[in-house]
Amino acid sequence: MLYLFAEWLGFEGALNLVRYQTFRAGATLMTALLIGLLIGPRFINMLRVRQGKGQPIREDGPQTHLAKRGTPTMGGLMILVAVVISMLLWMDLENPFVWACLAVTVGFGLIGFLDDYDKISKSSHHGVSGKVRLLLEFIVAGVASWIVVSQINTFLYVPFFNDLGLELGWFYYIFAAVVIVGAGNAVNLTDGLDGLAIMPVIIAAGTFALIVYLVGRVDYSQYLGIPHVAGAGELAVFCAAIMGAGLAFLWFNAPPAAVFMGDTGSLALGGALGAIAVAAHHEIVLAIVGGLFVVEALSVIIQVFWFKRTGKRIFRMAPIHHHFEQLGWSESKVVIRFWIIAIVLALMGLATLKLR
């Protein structure tokens, strides 16, 4: 909005500065961070008063988590407010990728909000039906995929190879929607310990801020042998908004957490990462950078599948972060070690840009 406002007023100096995506990315990060820190305390108090008992805690989960009763959830609303306001202020609103990612972020956030509200109102960890939630997610992801794919081609590019792409045709629309929905739910499953999900999201957003910037530049994309997507560089500003809002949320989510992000935040952030990866034609790289989320999701899928087939469990508890808690790791040890893994995976994802 400020970009268009400066252009409309004819402020050449300001326009030249605001035109740089790197400047706007930094400004967006700081704006989202400040908004989150400013609204955080009152927002958390409001959630605490309105929710009363806070997020329901599973009785069959780790017993140490019972001490978290009374902690409010839906902290993802704070993230969404910071992201949306900073986006509207600093991003080029004429860019279709902006609206596609915004649709996923807000749409998935609304679905998560309905799920969180249902859990709180029923004082149960069972929220909206899984089938209903997936249906709504695929509707939102389908619309966003149509917007994104209409601006790019339908190739699935393979990392480590120069311009090696598989033409998927119409199936790419389905694939893109699956990536977005899968990313949203993978982050959702990771959000089980204080600070566990938000820091890897920040790391992934920072990694993709660099990737989309390079993808959006003709010179860098040609030099690196990666697909060029005109206009994708604007999503670096969006990634910066996620980073700023995420850092502000982590300030209040650090152990012991004053608030949980809930499905409102985890679905929105995961879906946003999926939409960014699709727009940048780096879906496979997302599986590397977000490998922690992939492992968390796979641990649940494998656990459920094996238990239904044999009546036995592979992990002591799923998702896998609870497995390590059952092995005797403290919550802080699990969180910090998973952060380290997220950093290593992000570096591996960045390495795919050059190793070709």
Side-chain angles (χ1 to χ4, degrees):
M1 184 180 293
L2 290 177
Y3 176 85
L4 298 175
F5 188 62
E7 185 176 17
W8 179 69
L9 289 178
F11 292 162
E12 291 299 328
L15 181 59
N16 288 333
L17 184 61
V18 173
R19 186 178 286 119
Y20 289 106
Q21 291 170 344
T22 49
F23 170 80
R24 286 187 287 115
T28 302
L29 190 154
M30 292 306 300
T31 301
L33 175 61
L34 289 174
I35 291 173
L37 292 175
L38 287 174
I39 68 174
R42 290 188 178 182
F43 205 89
I44 293 170
N45 288 335
M46 180 195 71
L47 291 175
R48 185 176 290 112
V49 170
R50 290 182 176 273
Q51 294 178 10
K53 296 181 180 179
Q55 176 172 299
I57 305 297
R58 295 176 64 103
E59 296 290 344
D60 58 347
Q63 295 303 300
T64 54
H65 289 203
L66 297 178
K68 299 183 180 184
R69 282 175 173 162
T71 304
T73 186
M74 293 187 186
L77 287 173
M78 184 177 75
I79 299 174
L80 290 176
V81 169
V83 167
V84 172
I85 292 177
S86 58
M87 275 182 61
L88 294 178
L89 282 174
W90 291 106
M91 293 196 73
D92 178 7
L93 301 182
E94 295 181 348
N95 188 306
F97 294 128
V98 170
W99 293 106
C101 291
L102 184 61
V104 171
T105 305
V106 175
F108 274 38
L110 178 59
I111 296 169
F113 174 83
L114 295 174
D115 196 41
D116 286 334
Y117 182 82
D118 199 37
K119 291 175 182 176
I120 293 170
S121 60
K122 295 188 301 188
S123 297
S124 169
H125 61 270
H126 296 293
V128 177
S129 165
K131 292 181 179 179
V132 172
R133 199 173 84 165
L134 278 176
L135 175 62
L136 294 174
E137 289 171 10
F138 270 107
I139 291 174
V140 174
V143 173
S145 298
W146 179 79
I147 296 173
V148 170
V149 179
S150 66
Q151 305 296 317
I152 59 179
N153 58 45
T154 54
F155 280 86
L156 172 63
Y157 289 93
V158 182
F160 303 111
F161 298 93
N162 286 328
D163 296 323
L164 174 60
L166 306 175
E167 173 59 72
L168 299 184
W170 62 267
F171 182 73
Y172 187 81
Y173 291 87
I174 299 174
F175 172 75
V178 170
V179 169
I180 295 171
V181 172
N185 285 279
V187 174
N188 180 236
L189 290 171
T190 307
D191 183 33
L193 302 178
D194 296 349
L196 176 59
I198 191 61
M199 192 60 191
V201 166
I202 294 170
I203 293 168
T207 304
F208 267 90
L210 178 58
I211 290 174
V212 294
Y213 179 74
L214 296 174
V215 165
R217 291 280 299 264
V218 177
D219 49 356
Y220 288 138
S221 58
Q222 288 180 346
Y223 171 72
L224 294 170
I226 58 179
H228 168 62
V229 180
E234 191 65 24
L235 293 179
V237 185
F238 181 70
C239 290
I242 293 176
M243 294 171 66
L247 288 171
F249 178 77
L250 182 60
W251 183 268
F252 303 104
N253 188 237
V259 65
F260 301 139
M261 76 165 71
D263 293 359
T264 308
S266 57
L267 278 179
L269 294 174
L273 290 176
I276 293 167
V278 170
H281 267 317
H282 276 67
E283 303 90 347
I284 297 177
V285 174
L286 175 62
I288 299 173
V289 174
L292 179 65
F293 307 131
V294 175
V295 171
E296 291 273 13
L298 286 177
S299 69
V300 174
I301 295 171
I302 293 171
Q303 184 88 320
V304 172
F305 172 79
W306 193 250
F307 185 78
K308 287 184 176 180
R309 290 291 298 271
T310 67
K312 298 179 180 180
R313 292 179 172 85
I314 294 178
F315 306 103
R316 293 194 178 187
M317 188 175 292
I320 198 168
H321 54 261
H322 291 321
H323 171 78
F324 289 106
E325 281 191 292
Q326 296 297 327
L327 290 178
W329 291 20
S330 66
E331 180 173 339
S332 59
K333 180 177 288 188
V334 174
V335 170
I336 293 174
R337 286 182 174 176
F338 276 38
W339 287 1
I340 295 172
I341 292 172
I343 293 172
V344 173
L345 290 171
L347 294 175
M348 291 173 60
L350 289 175
T352 65
L353 297 175
K354 189 58 180 173
L355 299 178
R356 292 175 183 265

